[in-house]
Amino acid sequence: MLRLFKFHIATLLLLLVCASCNFVSSVNPSDAEDVANAFAESYFNLRYKNSLKYCTKESEQWISFAASQINEDDIKSLRGLEEEASVEVENVSGDDAECHAKVIVSNFFEADTIGKTGHIVDEGVFDITLVKEGNTWKVRMEGLPRSEKQSRD
């Protein structure tokens, strides 16, 4: 009987330790960094449908808007590209509820004004906001991503 009691105590302690480990890892900034990276790779390579899984529900309208701005001439100009946009998450800062990721994107397509074909931009710096939904980081968009770095085009 004492042996069974010790087994249950040991099991309970193990469960408590595992639960506390999961809590600590749920606020790990590297998780936010992974989400920011995956979102940016999808978004800036115009894989809008894939980028939706990294966004809050409220952000879907902005993804839909971005997709609606790509026209046939844009698609034609993109077909000849030899490499995709590349993404580097430089910094993630914030707390366990909201953080900001500074993302450097190279060789990405930027839509132009209505009626004009977009163009490739060498490099841009973007601030991506992430919020915690349960134990998952999600990108919160309040508009289309805008580069902090002005292009020379």
Side-chain angles (χ1 to χ4, degrees):
M1 186 72 157
L2 184 59
R3 190 182 253 179
L4 184 60
F5 180 73
K6 287 180 181 178
F7 174 75
H8 286 294
I9 294 295
T11 303
L12 181 62
L13 287 173
L14 182 61
L15 287 174
L16 287 173
V17 168
C18 289
S20 67
C21 290
N22 287 340
F23 177 76
V24 170
S25 68
S26 71
V27 295
N28 187 346
S30 67
D31 295 337
E33 182 176 336
D34 293 343
V35 171
N37 187 70
F39 166 78
E41 283 184 354
S42 294
Y43 182 86
F44 289 103
N45 283 300
L46 309 184
R47 293 189 288 269
Y48 295 126
K49 188 174 181 179
N50 190 55
S51 67
L52 284 172
K53 66 183 169 185
Y54 304 107
C55 294
T56 63
K57 185 79 172 157
E58 298 78 19
S59 300
E60 289 180 13
Q61 66 180 333
W62 295 108
I63 300 292
S64 295
F65 180 73
S68 73
Q69 300 305 301
I70 304 299
N71 62 44
E72 191 62 38
D73 289 336
D74 293 333
I75 293 169
K76 286 178 187 174
S77 69
L78 291 169
R79 285 191 183 127
L81 292 180
E82 293 182 19
E83 64 183 85
E84 292 187 329
S86 61
V87 172
E88 177 188 347
V89 178
E90 186 172 88
N91 184 18
V92 177
S93 60
D95 56 37
D96 62 351
E98 180 177 318
C99 64
H100 294 268
K102 182 178 180 181
V103 180
I104 299 170
V105 184
S106 302
N107 194 41
F108 67 96
F109 179 79
E110 182 175 70
D112 210 320
T113 57
I114 296 174
K116 293 187 178 180
T117 303
H119 58 280
I120 300 299
V121 177
D122 292 335
E123 187 175 272
V125 179
F126 298 86
D127 178 48
I128 296 177
T129 302
L130 297 106
V131 294
K132 203 68 172 279
E133 288 187 350
N135 290 328
T136 306
W137 285 103
K138 295 283 187 168
V139 171
R140 183 181 68 207
M141 298 175 70
E142 295 176 345
L144 296 180
R146 299 181 68 98
S147 179
E148 297 171 2
K149 179 179 180 179
Q150 298 298 315
S151 70
R152 294 181 292 223
D153 298 331

